[in-house]
Amino acid sequence: MSACAATPFTPSCFLQGFGRLFYMVSPTATAYTNWEDVPDFIAEAIPFFVMTITIETLALAVLKGGAYMKKERSWDAHRFSVNDLVGSIGAGMLQQISQFFIYNITVASYLYVYNHFRVVDLDPKNIYVWIAGFLIVDLGYYAFHRAAHEVNLFWATHVVHHSSEYYNQSTALRQSIFQSYCSWIFDLPAALFLPPSLYAVHKQFNTLFQFWIHTEMIGNLGPLEYIINTPSAHRVHHGRNPYCIDKNYAGTLIIWDILFGTFELERVAPAVQSEKDTERVAYGLTHPINTFDPLTIQFHHLRHVLTTCWSTPGFSNKFKVLFYGPGWHDDTPRTGLLEEIPPIAKDIPPAKYDLSVPTSINVYVLVHFALLIAANAITLNGKKSQPMEYHVIVLVSAYVLGSLTSFGRIFDHKPLAIATECLRNLAAAGILAATSLLTPLVGQAAPYLAGFHVFSALFLLVAQKNYATAVTASNKTKTQ
């Protein structure tokens, strides 16, 4: 934990923390002799994630008279939805908290290769070694990211990040639990010479840099479009338009895409000169998953890959299902045919999966979601400084997953969604009031939190009628 972890918004710490999102860091201040001393910069960035998401959301609500927030099917509307916000940040929370339960193959494999096979000993505090680390980690990310789109089994983990039909700051946090089990191998070349401490530093800053580029609020950045990864370049990467497929894999530097032939400019001004050549980006998957269930978001394509592999005859074809592109099938190239990608109309965007939920329910979910974020952040920040007892971590993880699953049922209009959420509240209240299991996390606030959950259950009983009306109206719209 760094000195600013506990006070992120003091002037000096604010500048330092905010600068990390843009890779604006001091090489001397971020060079460590031992990898164990490297702070968890991603966990420390959570307050800045919340801040920038809030700022962007307010900007969307205010600019153009709130047009960006309107639930209309047009290119300049429907850029935010509560259900998507919860789905995206919730995926990131699960990814972060899963670190307590799954083997850290990334660190373990890197340390093994470095300790047994490194070819040279370099000083991690040397500025040139620091710069070399920046470049090699970024190139390694490009290689992994490209493989994550061109190898079906790897795509089964990375697809989580692309499953949102929106493109805003919260989209950056929609991460996979198991992606590291595919990415680790691409970091091993660096382990032959790069000290683990510098690898750990640059791996985190490379990830943090990719947060700010998830926005539609920043346009073309001129010459920078040919140097660094930008919001415009990454919008193309997240597009499901045929021209966007398998483009712009960059982490920090876009030069890798230019060098390896995967670079594509966004087809809007100033890159195109006429309106007829303009092609706005539609986000998400070519075949949308249409759910906010957190486990479906995480594992839907992995299940598809494994069931397809099982049912496909022949060892050669099974191998291709796993290791060729997600678009591959018999009589197609390795990565599939671009012609089979569904086209996107230029005049109107695809309809988004956004079932109507009463405002009172959305506010309710946001309040409880803020509680989840707080519990998740406290648990993560205690990982190195004051590790919590394992039973607390298990309970917090169950609370996070159970809450996200219940919220997903509400947003998906599942049967008994409100009843399920009432039971979740009562279960949480019971654990808080009747036991001391969560005392290390909540301390003296336990009875107040228990009362809050009981009150929430009562509120839902009152709001259930409005929710049922919204579900009925939505079902009628579907049948028309």
Side-chain angles (χ1 to χ4, degrees), residues 66-235:
Y68 291 134
M69 289 288 202
K70 293 180 179 178
K71 307 282 186 172
E72 297 175 353
R73 195 176 168 188
S74 72
W75 289 111
D76 289 320
H78 209 172
R79 294 189 179 184
F80 172 87
S81 186
V82 170
N83 47 30
D84 178 76
L85 176 80
V86 172
S88 292
I89 300 179
M93 292 167 63
L94 291 178
Q95 185 269 337
Q96 285 291 294
I97 211 164
S98 69
Q99 298 173 25
F100 291 105
F101 304 100
I102 63 176
Y103 181 67
N104 193 337
I105 192 173
T106 301
V107 171
S109 61
Y110 194 94
L111 290 175
Y112 183 83
V113 172
Y114 182 81
N115 290 332
H116 292 85
F117 301 106
R118 70 178 181 273
V119 296
V120 64
D121 289 307
L122 299 176
D123 181 6
K125 297 192 175 183
N126 183 295
I127 181 65
Y128 298 107
V129 178
W130 194 96
I131 294 172
F134 161 69
L135 293 172
I136 193 66
V137 169
D138 199 41
L139 177 58
Y141 178 80
Y142 171 87
F144 154 69
H145 199 185
R146 184 165 181 172
H149 282 257
E150 297 183 4
V151 176
N152 203 16
L153 188 60
F154 293 1
W155 174 244
T157 62
H158 186 63
V159 69
V160 177
H161 182 60
H162 285 265
S163 60
S164 173
E165 296 181 290
Y166 299 77
Y167 189 76
N168 50 50
Q169 295 278 269
S170 70
T171 310
L173 304 181
R174 184 177 282 235
Q175 297 293 328
S176 165
I177 293 173
F178 291 118
Q179 181 169 286
S180 62
Y181 279 81
C182 298
S183 64
W184 64 275
I185 194 170
F186 297 91
D187 296 323
L188 296 187
L192 297 174
F193 65 91
L194 187 68
S197 59
L198 279 185
Y199 164 75
V201 165
H202 287 298
K203 189 74 171 176
Q204 292 188 79
F205 288 151
N206 188 280
T207 299
L208 290 176
F209 181 87
Q210 295 175 58
F211 175 75
W212 75 275
I213 60 177
H214 290 81
T215 183
E216 293 190 82
M217 305 303 291
I218 300 174
N220 186 286
L221 295 181
L224 286 178
E225 298 292 339
Y226 300 92
I227 303 172
I228 64 172
N229 199 4
T230 66
S232 178
H234 207 57
R235 283 194 288 271

Side-chain angles (χ1 to χ4, degrees), residues 253-430:
L253 298 175
I254 202 73
I255 59 173
W256 309 121
D257 286 288
I258 295 173
L259 286 173
F260 298 119
T262 52
F263 177 66
E264 184 76 37
L265 286 169
E266 189 177 14
R267 294 183 183 176
V268 296
V272 297
Q273 302 302 316
S274 63
E275 185 66 28
K276 67 180 181 64
D277 294 323
T278 297
E279 190 171 349
R280 302 283 289 272
V281 176
Y283 306 107
L285 304 175
T286 56
H287 300 89
I289 58 175
N290 291 343
T291 184
F292 295 102
D293 175 69
L295 294 180
T296 302
I297 291 172
Q298 289 287 338
F299 302 119
H300 72 278
H301 192 67
L302 180 61
R303 178 183 178 183
H304 168 74
V305 170
L306 295 179
T307 54
T308 302
C309 180
W310 178 263
S311 62
T312 299
F315 177 82
S316 175
N317 286 332
K318 290 181 185 294
F319 178 88
K320 290 176 181 178
V321 168
L322 295 175
F323 296 106
Y324 276 25
W328 175 85
H329 56 83
D330 283 340
D331 302 321
T332 65
R334 180 180 64 84
T335 57
L337 291 171
L338 203 60
E339 294 80 5
E340 294 182 350
I341 302 296
I344 301 297
K346 290 185 177 183
D347 58 336
I348 188 170
K352 293 176 178 176
Y353 177 72
D354 184 15
L355 303 182
S356 178
V357 172
T359 301
S360 59
I361 296 295
N362 275 329
V363 172
Y364 163 88
V365 170
L366 286 175
V367 171
H368 278 261
F369 191 58
L371 190 62
L372 288 190
I373 293 173
N376 196 66
I378 293 170
T379 305
L380 291 174
N381 280 327
K383 187 166 56 175
K384 285 190 174 181
S385 58
Q386 294 179 329
M388 293 186 180
E389 296 178 58
Y390 195 70
H391 77 269
V392 176
I393 295 171
V394 171
L395 284 173
V396 170
S397 302
Y399 179 69
V400 170
L401 177 59
S403 299
L404 293 174
T405 301
S406 184
F407 298 159
R409 291 180 60 83
I410 290 173
F411 293 137
D412 286 341
H413 289 181
K414 294 295 185 181
L416 302 176
I418 297 298
T420 301
E421 177 63 6
C422 285
L423 290 175
R424 182 192 72 87
N425 276 296
L426 294 176

